[in-house]
Amino acid sequence: MLKFNGDEFNFSKTVDISAPLSIVYETAARVDRYDRFLTDVATAKMQSEDVCHMIVRAGPLRVDVTTKVTLEENKRIDFVMIDGPPLKRLAGTWIVAPNMSGGTSVTFEVNIQAGRAGNWLLKTASRYMERKGAALIEAFQQQILKQSQPGESAS
């Protein structure tokens, strides 16, 4: 779901995945591996234990984004941009929990505040999230299902 409020928007989507919580959590928590299965992430490298630098493809542009990542094992992954495009705020969360069918419920949330970037960038970012949000979740689902197959690992 996409919601606007003044100079910010929020995106949220929840899906159920037929895979163990530990594999789902590990896939979302290893931000340094996003470039292996997310086509919009050109590179992803940890600069320290809790800081990740990525180059993200946004159409013809390549955007440097550095985030602080906070992990709560097998529960949530929070990220907040500390360097990148001229936004007041870019932050998000992956929340994982067991579901009733023995798999994992996953919620992905993003909050973007335009700040000095203005409404043009906010609208561009929201259109990008609207278009790419479902594809992002689908890419994670495919990676998780691949890793949960016998003989596969999160390498």
Side-chain angles (χ1 to χ4, degrees):
M1 177 172 19
L2 190 64
K3 286 199 256 180
F4 278 92
N5 183 16
D7 77 337
E8 73 177 296
F9 82 88
N10 296 289
F11 174 85
S12 179
K13 183 164 177 75
T14 300
V15 297
D16 287 319
I17 300 176
S18 298
L21 185 139
S22 61
I23 291 174
V24 174
Y25 174 82
E26 177 73 11
T27 302
R30 291 301 307 265
V31 295
D32 59 323
R33 295 181 179 169
Y34 285 8
D35 57 348
R36 296 181 185 184
F37 63 95
L38 294 178
T39 58
D40 289 342
V41 178
T43 64
K45 296 192 181 354
M46 296 303 291
Q47 293 182 330
S48 68
E49 185 176 298
D50 63 349
V51 174
C52 183
H53 175 262
M54 294 183 195
I55 298 176
V56 179
R57 296 178 184 100
L61 303 175
R62 301 292 181 262
V63 180
D64 285 276
V65 178
T66 304
T67 57
K68 178 171 178 27
V69 181
T70 305
L71 306 174
E72 188 176 342
E73 190 170 354
N74 291 325
K75 292 187 180 176
R76 65 186 296 137
I77 301 100
D78 297 313
F79 61 90
V80 62
M81 182 180 71
I82 54 177
D83 191 33
L87 297 168
K88 182 176 181 182
R89 177 177 169 80
L90 168 61
T93 302
W94 289 96
I95 301 168
V96 297
N99 65 22
M100 300 295 276
S101 62
T104 305
S105 177
V106 182
T107 300
F108 176 62
E109 302 172 339
V110 174
N111 170 261
I112 297 178
Q113 296 176 0
R116 71 181 192 273
N119 284 338
W120 175 84
L121 186 56
L122 185 67
K123 287 178 183 174
T124 300
S126 70
R127 282 192 299 268
Y128 177 83
M129 282 306 301
E130 195 169 35
R131 220 175 46 249
K132 295 290 191 167
L136 174 92
I137 299 293
E138 178 66 23
F140 270 94
Q141 285 180 295
Q142 293 305 312
Q143 181 69 11
I144 289 162
L145 293 174
K146 179 181 163 187
Q147 290 176 355
S148 63
Q149 299 300 313
E152 295 290 330
S153 72
S155 57

